[in-house]
Amino acid sequence: MSSSSDIVAALRKLDSCAVSDALDTLGLPGAVTRLRGMWSAGRTVAGRVRTVTAAPKAAAGPATHIATSLVAIAEPDDVVVIDNHGRTDVSCWGGLLAEAAIQRGVAGVIVDGACRDVQESEALGLPVFARTAVPVSARGRIVQQAMDERIQISGVSVAAHDYVVADVNGVVFIPAAEVDRVLALARRIVDREARMAEAVRAGRDVSEVMHDSQFPTVTASTDSAEER
């Protein structure tokens, strides 16, 4: 298996569509719906997943502010992924967390729920993906329940140290154990589509180009030599 930094660098050269297609081909879940970029980063965000689980604040007991303990130890190329169970009535990511995340080299933030202070994240250059933005603070409403545990993001199971790719098209998670296979397949998919686009630009009919007899669909068992 490649090193984590090499994997992240390779993923940044792809997009969420190619990665989603690779996962589909391998019969793996990963692409999530309902999450979108809160501002246009203009690039692919890729990194290692670090998870946070949010929960309603109890009347008594510990009240760790969401993601603070994780951000404090985050490393470059980490992506903070917060499971707030799809709640959109309260934010669980804001401007101060964004400031701290940038200091730690965090590559991006994904929230299954709502965020706020979008303009501050944009000014800092920190990509944030969420269901929506709201002005309502988390204080006194929700707290951190756990970190670096397996979570559910829009129905997809995600573990700490999995990988994620996010861009203008959406968010896709990649199980760490499958990342090398997914990368190899996604690269072949990108190569196939580039050759198809070149054929269209050369004047070939798009219905002919998109027929599998011309550019066979990439499969998990197809090697690069066969595709050529």
Side-chain angles (χ1 to χ4, degrees), residues 173-191:
F173 293 100
I174 309 164
E178 300 288 351
V179 70
D180 282 335
R181 284 209 303 161
V182 171
L183 258 175
L185 196 54
R187 285 167 169 157
R188 299 208 305 268
I189 289 168
V190 168
D191 176 69

Side-chain angles (χ1 to χ4, degrees), residues 70-126:
L70 177 58
V71 170
I73 61 169
E75 298 178 357
D77 292 338
D78 283 350
V79 175
V80 178
V81 182
I82 303 174
D83 180 8
N84 197 25
H85 319 290
R87 284 186 62 176
T88 57
D89 60 328
V90 57
S91 168
C92 56
W93 183 270
L96 287 176
L97 280 169
E99 290 276 5
I102 285 293
Q103 293 299 314
R104 298 295 302 181
V106 168
V109 178
I110 296 168
V111 180
D112 191 4
C115 65
R116 71 177 197 168
D117 300 326
V118 173
Q119 74 282 8
E120 294 179 35
S121 290
E122 182 175 9
L124 290 164
L126 179 68

Side-chain angles (χ1 to χ4, degrees), residues 24-45:
D24 279 347
T25 301
L26 294 168
L28 299 170
V32 302
T33 59
R34 302 189 181 96
L35 304 184
R36 62 183 181 86
M38 293 291 98
W39 61 276
S40 179
R43 66 181 187 275
T44 296
V45 177

Side-chain angles (χ1 to χ4, degrees), residues 1 6 10 13 20 24 28 56 63 80 87 89-90 98 118-119 135 143 154 160 170 179 205 208 211 219 225:
M1 181 178 288
D6 287 343
K13 296 177 182 178
S20 178
D24 279 347
L28 299 170
V80 178
R87 284 186 62 176
D89 60 328
V90 57
V118 173
Q119 74 282 8
V143 296
S154 195
V179 70
D205 188 284
E208 174 191 357
H211 197 282
T219 68

